[in-house]
Amino acid sequence: MSEGTMHRPAQRDQRDQRSRTAPVTPRRRQRARAALLSVAAVPVLLVAVGCSSDSGSDSGSGSGSADNAAKATEAGAGETVSASPTVQAAAYRKLPEPCAVLSTKTLQELVPKGVKSGKEGSSNDTATRGSCSWTSLANNGVKGSQFRWLNVSLLRFESTATRGSAEELAQAYYESQVQDAQSATGAKNTSSEPVVGTGDDATSVRYDLKKKEGSFRQQTVVVRVENVVVTLDYNGAGLAGEKTPSADSLAKSAVKAVKEAVAKVSSTNGEGGAATPAPTNSPSSSASSSAKPSASPSGSPSSSASKSPSSSASPSASKKN
């Protein structure tokens, strides 16, 4: 081993010894303090970065929640809740007694021999429907007889949320009654005309009808007043050779009688006729279940009220014989 090689560890040991024994100067202290501060700052920076990252994440999450809530509020504000359907309440709440809608004086004119013959038709709900018929036979012996038959029917409708207002239902039934009268089986010389001075809508239909008993002249007057329909049937015939009554005189008497019946309906419901209408969403089903309008008389639930309660009461008690 060379001398140089032998001296290297000794030289290294000497340098280490000198570094350990070298005096500490102020410059060296400053360098050591700076190094320590640099090392200590690294964890602080790491902690700060971590906190900043967490804080940003939380802030973003909170901002997203606020945005979602704002969007939900905006969506809710744009929605509209549909209101429950409402219909106009029925104006008339009840019907008069059907056999009391005409005065004794009027009955004496239309059915002179049958003033006390009034027969009320059957009804399962008298507040919704009713009818009454009278029969008169003036027997003149060998000169023949004068026959008269009178029927008044009343039908009241209630408003329903599914089918509409009471007035609309009454109007549909009124129109079906007029059409029924205009299309009576076997009718001859049919004519129609509006009736003024009563109700909201009124029509008079007249026609001639030939039966085995003789020639009959039929008058049907249909009137709608608010949510009630009044149908008056009046016919006359000269039997056993007696002269057939005048259609004009029968029509005049029928119109007079129906106006009186309509006035009775109004007065029964109080002064001015109708109760104050008000919106409702819980309508009664009394009329809707038992008095649905129908263009066909056989399909109409009120056909028993608008026609004679008994076809045997009169040779022409039914218009379609």
Side-chain angles (χ1 to χ4, degrees):
M1 179 178 297
S2 65
E3 185 178 356
T5 305
M6 294 174 59
H7 282 285
R8 286 177 185 169
Q11 292 174 353
R12 190 163 49 244
D13 293 339
Q14 291 174 359
R15 286 196 298 270
D16 293 340
Q17 182 66 28
R18 285 196 300 267
S19 64
R20 286 194 294 267
T21 59
V24 179
T25 65
R27 184 178 180 81
R28 295 186 66 179
R29 287 194 188 96
Q30 291 177 354
R31 289 178 179 176
R33 187 180 296 110
L36 289 173
L37 290 174
S38 299
V39 172
V42 171
V44 173
L45 289 174
L46 291 175
V47 172
V49 170
C51 292
S52 176
S53 175
D54 292 342
S55 175
S57 174
D58 292 342
S59 176
S61 174
S63 176
S65 300
D67 291 343
N68 291 338
K71 290 178 181 178
T73 302
E74 290 176 1
E79 295 176 357
T80 56
V81 180
S82 58
S84 20
T86 59
V87 290
Q88 191 73 8
Y92 289 156
R93 304 292 184 179
K94 53 187 177 179
L95 294 175
E97 291 292 331
C99 290
V101 295
L102 300 178
S103 65
T104 300
K105 181 180 179 180
T106 299
L107 290 174
Q108 287 174 340
E109 180 181 339
L110 274 68
V111 284
K113 298 296 182 179
V115 173
K116 296 182 180 181
S117 68
K119 182 179 180 181
E120 186 172 346
S122 61
S123 173
N124 58 0
D125 185 0
T126 56
T128 298
R129 66 172 71 196
S131 66
C132 190
S133 62
W134 297 261
T135 303
S136 174
L137 180 62
N139 191 339
N140 297 319
V142 294
K143 295 182 179 181
S145 303
Q146 284 291 334
F147 176 81
R148 301 287 186 275
W149 178 78
L150 172 67
N151 184 79
V152 178
S153 69
L154 312 167
L155 191 61
R156 187 183 67 84
F157 291 85
E158 280 285 1
S159 296
T160 69
T162 55
R163 296 178 61 228
S165 71
E167 285 194 22
E168 291 172 342
L169 297 174
Q171 180 66 25
Y173 181 71
Y174 159 80
E175 292 172 1
S176 74
Q177 286 290 85
V178 173
Q179 293 172 4
D180 180 40
Q182 293 170 335
S183 60
T185 302
K188 303 292 184 182
N189 306 317
T190 303
S191 64
S192 305
E193 62 181 2
V195 177
V196 296
T198 185
D200 299 297
D201 292 285
T203 301
S204 176
V205 182
R206 66 167 72 177
Y207 56 84
D208 297 334
L209 195 62
K210 184 73 175 179
K211 292 177 174 284
K212 63 180 181 179
E213 297 89 354
S215 296
F216 290 80
R217 286 187 168 156
Q218 172 74 29
Q219 314 293 319
T220 298
V221 188
V222 187
V223 182
R224 179 187 71 82
V225 53
E226 299 288 357
N227 57 307
V228 175
V229 177
V230 179
T231 303
L232 185 143
D233 290 300
Y234 184 49
N235 64 41
L239 307 178
E242 181 65 286
K243 184 179 179 181
T244 302
S246 165
D248 289 339
S249 64
L250 292 176
K252 182 178 180 180
S253 296
V255 169
K256 176 183 178 181
V258 81
K259 288 183 176 181
E260 187 174 315
V262 170
K264 187 71 173 181
V265 172
S266 296
S267 64
T268 299
N269 284 274
E271 186 177 357
T276 302
T280 177
N281 55 8
S282 57
S284 167
S285 60
S286 60
S288 62
S289 61
S290 62
K292 181 179 179 181
S294 171
S296 170
S298 60
S300 170
S302 61
S303 57
S304 61
S306 61
K307 303 294 183 286
S308 170
S310 172
S311 58
S312 61
S314 163
S316 61
S318 173
K319 296 198 288 289
K320 294 187 178 182
N321 289 342

